[in-house]
Amino acid sequence: MTTVPFDPAFDRPPEDASTPGEHTIPADNYLSNGHSISSWLLTVDHKRIGILYLISITFFFAIGGLAATLMRLELATPKADMFEPDNYNKLFTAHGVAMIFFFLVPSVPAVLGNFLLPIMIGARDLAFPRINLLSWYLYAIAGAMAIVVFAMGGVDTGWTFYTPYSSTFSNTNVVLAICAIFIAGFSSIFTGLNFIVTVHTMRAPGMTWFRMPLFVWSNYATALIMILGTPVLAIAMLLVLAERLAGIGIFDPRMGGDPVLFQHLFWFYSHPAVYIMILPGFGVISEVITAFSRKKVFGYSFIAFSSLAIALIGFLVWGHHMFITGISTYGGMVFSLLSFLIAVPTAIKIFNWIATMYKGSISLDTPMLYALAFIGLFLIGGLTGLFLAAMGMDIHLHDTYFVIAHFHYVMVGGMVTAYLAGIHFWWPKMTGRMYNDVWSKISAVLVFMGFNLTFFPQFLLGYLGMPRRYAAYPDEFQLLNVLSSAGASILAVGFALPLFYLVKSLWDGKVAGPNPWGAAGLEWQTTSPPPTFNFDETPIVTQEAYAYDDIRADKLGLPRPENKGHH
C-alpha cells in the first residue's frame, strides 16, 4: 500500500536497516509537542496515550514476571520450603491477574493499536480522543487497585475466581480484586468502541476495506470481541459480589444457586479473551512477515476473514473448559467439534504466512526473528490445544501442567513474541531511533531458548499427572521442574534485555528516518516520530496493501505491474 504522491526515497533495501542513512529527527513531532507532565497526563493524542499504555503495561509485566520468578524458585525443590501453600496460592493469582488483565489484554491493542491504527488508515486521531484518554485512566485506576490488593496480602482464588470459593469461602481481598477487574473491563470496552468507530468512519480517501492493513483487520475483529464479550465477564463478577456481600443466592446451591453457572459466564468471556490477546498478535505477524519477505502477503482476503471467523467461532467454544463439570455428553461433543473447527481459520493464517515467505527476499532482522519464533511456538500451542479439545484426552490432562504449558505456548510463545516483534518493528517509528541490532538479536534468541526450556518440560509433567497450582510435588518430578526453573532464568534475561537497549536508544540510537525497513504502509510514509496529527496532508490511497512489487518497480525505474487489487 502506498499513497500519492509516492516517494521512492522512503524505500530502502532491508540489508541497510542497521545503517540508516543521513536523517534528522523532525523538529515538529508528537514527542516535542509539550514536555510537561500535564502535557502527557492530559493528552488526547492517540500516540502519546499509546506510550502511556506502553509504560503502564511494562510495569505490570515486571510485577507478573516477579511473581513467576518466585514460583519457579519455589518449584525448584519438591517440598514447599519457600512459601506456605496459602502464600503460593496468592503468588500464582498475582501472576495471573497482572499478566492477563493488565498486560496481555491491553498489550497490542492499547499500545500498538492506539499508536498505529489511525496512522495506518490515514486518520488524524481516533474517533473519540477523550474517551481514549479516559480508557487509560480507567486502566490506571484499576491497576492501582490491583497493586493495593497485592500489597494488602493478595488474593488466593486464582485469576479465574471460581465459585463457590471466591463467593463464599476465601477470606482474602476478593472484593477489591473483582472491582479492579470490573473497572479494567470498561477500559477495554472503550478502546474497542473507539477502534470500531474509527475504522468505519475515519479511513482516508481511497482506503477501502480491502486496502486496509491486516493489522487493522485483526484489531477490528478484536474490538468486536471486546465490545460483545467483556460485559459478560463484568456481569459475572458483579454476581459474585452480589452473593458475597449481599447473600443473594446465585452460585451457592444452598440458596438455590448453581456454581457451574459461574464457569459458563466466566468462560463465555474468557475463552474469547484468549483471542482478544492473540488476534492483534496475528496482525503484527502479518505486517512483519510481509515487510521482511519483501513480498505481498499471500491470501490477503483469507487472512482478513479468518480474523473475523476466529472472533465469531471464539464465542462458541467456551464449554471445552468444562468437560469435567458434569455437562452432558452431547453438549461436550458439540463444544469439542467447535473447538476443532476454530483451528481451521488459525491454520489458514499460518499457512498463508509461510506461503508469503516462500520465494520471498527474507532478511533476518530482529522483528523477523520474533515473528519466526511466533510461528513455531504458536503452532505447538495451537496443536496441543487440539489434545484439550478432545474430551477423552481432556479428562486426563485437565488441571495439569499440560494445560499450563499449552496456555503459555499460546500466550507467551505466541502473544508476547508477537508483541516484541511489533515493538521492535515500530520502535523506530515511535521514537525516531534505531536500537542496538546485536543485543536485540541476542535477546530474541534467549527468549526462544529460555521459553522452550521453561515450558516444554511442563507438557511432560502434565502428561505424567502433575497437577497445577501446588507448591509441592513428588520427588520424581524434580528433574523436569529444575529444567523448567533454569529455563525461566534464561527467559527472564531475554525479557529484561530489551528494556535496557530500547531505553538506551532514546539517547544514543541512530536516527532511523521515515522508513528504516523499506516497508510498505501509510505509517512509513510519514516522519519518525510522526507529527501530532500524523500527516501534513490527508493521504490519498490508490493501491492495495503491501504493494512491494510497485515499490521495487519504482526503485528500478520500471513500469508498475498491473494492479490486481481486491474489490
Side-chain angles (χ1 to χ4, degrees):
M1 175 186 61
T2 51
T3 62
V4 174
F6 178 78
D7 186 351
F10 285 141
D11 185 29
R12 199 173 57 75
E15 57 267 27
D16 293 344
S18 58
T19 55
E22 292 299 322
H23 297 288
T24 56
I25 299 283
D28 177 24
N29 66 68
Y30 80 99
L31 291 171
S32 64
N33 186 20
H35 297 286
S36 64
I37 292 177
S38 64
S39 73
W40 280 90
L41 296 182
L42 300 177
T43 184
V44 290
D45 184 341
H46 65 97
K47 298 180 290 299
R48 285 192 166 211
I49 294 170
I51 299 295
L52 291 175
Y53 269 114
L54 173 64
I55 297 167
S56 312
I57 69 163
T58 303
F59 173 74
F60 278 99
F61 184 74
I63 298 275
L66 176 63
T69 304
L70 294 174
M71 287 160 62
R72 286 316 319 171
L73 284 173
E74 169 61 68
L75 293 171
T77 58
K79 293 181 180 175
D81 31 25
M82 274 185 67
F83 298 100
E84 295 294 324
D86 284 352
N87 290 329
Y88 186 80
N89 291 348
K90 294 173 183 173
L91 208 53
F92 69 67
T93 304
H95 171 69
V97 168
M99 285 299 197
I100 289 174
F101 295 110
F102 296 101
F103 173 71
L104 285 168
V105 168
S107 57
V108 172
V111 176
L112 297 175
N114 251 323
F115 195 98
L116 293 160
L117 189 140
I119 307 178
M120 283 181 159
I121 62 171
R124 290 162 64 89
D125 205 323
L126 286 169
F128 307 117
R130 288 182 176 81
I131 288 181
N132 196 24
L133 180 62
L134 174 63
S135 74
W136 179 76
Y137 271 105
L138 289 173
Y139 170 87
I141 292 168
M145 292 169 68
I147 295 296
V148 170
V149 169
F150 301 153
M152 289 171 60
V155 60
D156 65 351
T157 59
W159 74 275
T160 49
F161 293 93
Y162 269 12
T163 56
Y165 189 61
S166 62
S167 59
T168 306
F169 298 107
S170 176
N171 55 7
T172 54
N173 303 292
V174 176
V175 173
L176 192 57
I178 285 179
C179 290
I181 291 165
F182 185 79
I183 294 172
F186 276 96
S187 168
S188 205
I189 290 170
F190 286 160
T191 299
L193 176 71
N194 235 330
F195 283 3
I196 290 172
V197 177
T198 304
V199 169
H200 275 273
T201 63
M202 297 181 68
R203 285 173 284 127
M207 177 62 81
T208 61
W209 280 87
F210 292 104
R211 285 177 177 169
M212 290 198 308
L214 290 166
F215 180 80
V216 177
W217 271 103
S218 62
N219 274 282
Y220 180 80
T222 306
L224 293 175
I225 306 176
M226 285 173 166
I227 294 282
L228 297 174
T230 312
V232 179
L233 175 71
I235 291 166
M237 291 295 161
L238 278 181
L239 293 177
V240 172
L241 289 186
E243 181 164 298
R244 188 178 175 91
L245 297 177
I248 300 171
I250 297 166
F251 305 118
D252 188 344
R254 293 172 302 181
M255 296 186 284
D258 179 1
V260 178
L261 173 63
F262 176 82
Q263 293 193 36
H264 279 289
L265 294 173
F266 180 83
W267 288 115
F268 183 81
Y269 163 79
S270 293
H271 195 82
V274 170
Y275 303 108
I276 289 179
M277 297 181 241
I278 197 69
L279 263 176
F282 289 159
V284 171
I285 298 304
S286 296
E287 300 296 323
V288 171
I289 293 282
T290 184
F292 291 96
S293 300
R294 316 296 299 162
K295 195 160 162 263
K296 190 174 79 172
V297 74
F298 181 85
Y300 171 97
S301 305
F302 283 93
I303 296 182
F305 282 116
S306 67
S307 293
L308 295 179
I310 289 171
L312 175 67
I313 303 172
F315 277 109
L316 306 175
V317 300
W318 80 91
H320 73 223
H321 293 271
M322 301 168 60
F323 286 151
I324 64 163
T325 59
I327 63 173
S328 76
T329 306
Y330 295 112
M333 287 170 64
V334 171
F335 281 121
S336 178
L337 288 172
L338 286 169
S339 300
F340 282 118
L341 184 63
I342 204 167
V344 175
T346 311
I348 286 172
K349 287 180 184 292
I350 292 177
F351 173 80
N352 285 12
W353 291 329
I354 293 171
T356 302
M357 288 188 282
Y358 179 64
K359 289 189 175 179
S361 177
I362 296 173
S363 54
L364 296 176
D365 292 286
T366 306
M368 189 63 167
L369 292 182
Y370 277 114
L372 294 174
F374 171 95
I375 292 177
L377 299 178
F378 180 77
L379 192 61
I380 295 174
L383 289 175
T384 51
L386 298 179
F387 287 62
L388 298 171
M391 282 193 292
M393 280 300 286
D394 184 73
I395 290 169
H396 173 60
L397 297 171
H398 191 87
D399 268 349
T400 69
Y401 263 81
F402 190 95
V403 178
I404 300 289
H406 156 71
F407 186 66
H408 283 78
Y409 263 84
V410 173
M411 287 292 101
V412 184
M415 180 58 209
V416 177
T417 51
Y419 174 69
L420 288 170
I423 287 290
H424 285 83
F425 185 44
W426 284 296
W427 183 261
K429 178 56 58 183
M430 298 164 84
T431 66
R433 301 279 184 178
M434 298 300 293
Y435 46 81
N436 186 293
D437 188 51
V438 175
W439 279 111
S440 62
K441 287 179 177 171
I442 290 173
S443 166
V445 171
L446 287 177
V447 167
F448 183 77
M449 292 172 57
F451 175 83
N452 279 298
L453 189 55
T454 305
F455 292 104
F456 197 83
Q458 295 182 11
F459 281 125
L460 305 178
L461 284 168
Y463 187 78
L464 292 171
M466 180 171 165
R468 62 179 181 173
R469 298 182 170 179
Y470 282 77
Y473 55 82
D475 290 345
E476 59 262 35
F477 292 149
Q478 186 174 16
L479 175 61
L480 290 169
N481 270 296
V482 167
L483 284 175
S484 190
S485 294
S489 61
I490 297 172
L491 188 59
V493 174
F495 282 147
L497 278 176
L499 190 63
F500 292 102
Y501 63 73
L502 289 178
V503 171
K504 185 172 180 292
S505 75
L506 296 175
W507 278 272
D508 60 5
K510 292 176 183 174
V511 177
N515 191 1
W517 309 118
L522 277 185
E523 78 270 30
W524 302 108
Q525 300 291 311
T526 188
T527 58
S528 303
T532 298
F533 293 109
N534 300 337
F535 301 95
D536 295 330
E537 296 179 7
T538 301
I540 301 170
V541 182
T542 60
Q543 293 173 295
E544 60 188 287
Y546 315 113
Y548 284 99
D549 290 343
D550 289 353
I551 292 177
R552 192 172 295 112
D554 287 337
K555 285 181 69 66
L556 298 174
L558 301 173
R560 289 180 178 179
E562 184 182 353
N563 190 340
K564 297 177 181 177
H566 305 272
H567 301 288

